Amino acid sequence: RQAAGAMGISTSGLSHQIRKVEDILGADIFERGARVTLTTSGRVVLEAIAATLESVTRLEALRNRLAMPFGAVLRIGVITSLAPGDLVRLVETCRRHSPQTRIEIVSGKHHGLLRRLQDREIDLMITAGNDFPSGLTQAELVREGFAL
């Protein structure tokens, strides 16, 4: 009765659905009497259902990761001297790849951004510096030549 109530259906409706499942499986999943208890087959079915629900949860998480490859928020640290046009192109690229992701820009100097990156306050940084501690991955994005 409690299960039917929790599901918002009648007791007879739930019993009918359980019987259909038992007919399909060819085995009783409940022992009916003064108390309703799981049979050995019922325990196996319950474990299979739990595994299926866990798989569905993992698939939903995968779908969300694929929809938002950068996560819900991408925190980008940029040096203050980064040209505004470069920053706009960076944000546009991020939005194209993950439109649902909110992008937060944090500006600062190289060493301050590096500290924030190590403290996980930002997810990545764009800088002109090249002194990075081991364990951080870096990639050259642009090489500029200056003329006087």
Side-chain angles (χ1 to χ4, degrees):
R1 219 172 264 165
Q2 288 176 337
M7 296 172 69
I9 61 174
S10 68
T11 304
S12 62
L14 178 58
S15 293
H16 178 71
Q17 294 298 321
I18 291 170
R19 293 257 186 235
K20 283 173 66 174
V21 170
E22 290 175 329
D23 288 345
I24 291 168
L25 294 174
D28 289 341
I29 55 176
F30 290 106
E31 288 182 19
R32 292 161 180 86
R35 275 182 57 128
V36 177
T37 58
L38 282 173
T39 63
T40 302
S41 296
R43 281 191 278 287
V44 171
V45 169
L46 184 62
E47 288 172 11
I49 290 170
T52 300
L53 291 174
E54 186 177 317
S55 294
V56 168
T57 300
R58 283 196 312 272
L59 282 172
E60 287 173 337
L62 175 62
R63 179 201 64 210
N64 293 340
R65 280 196 310 275
L66 293 174
M68 294 191 300
F70 301 134
V73 178
L74 178 63
R75 301 162 305 173
I76 304 172
V78 297
I79 54 173
T80 52
S81 60
L82 183 69
D86 292 333
L87 184 57
V88 168
R89 281 190 295 282
L90 169 69
V91 170
E92 287 172 346
T93 299
C94 291
R95 288 225 167 99
R96 228 180 1 263
H97 289 284
S98 187
Q100 297 86 359
T101 300
R102 190 175 84 240
I103 299 168
E104 294 178 0
I105 304 295
V106 176
S107 66
K109 295 181 180 177
H110 174 81
H111 291 289
L113 292 174
L114 186 58
R115 181 199 53 76
R116 287 179 164 206
L117 184 64
Q118 290 173 307
D119 291 345
R120 299 181 187 272
E121 294 174 16
I122 58 176
D123 302 305
L124 63 95
M125 64 184 271
I126 298 176
T127 183
N130 60 6
D131 57 328
F132 292 95
S134 63
L136 292 179
T137 302
Q138 60 183 344
E140 185 175 286
L141 301 175
V142 177
R143 183 176 292 265
E144 293 182 313
F146 292 95
L148 293 174

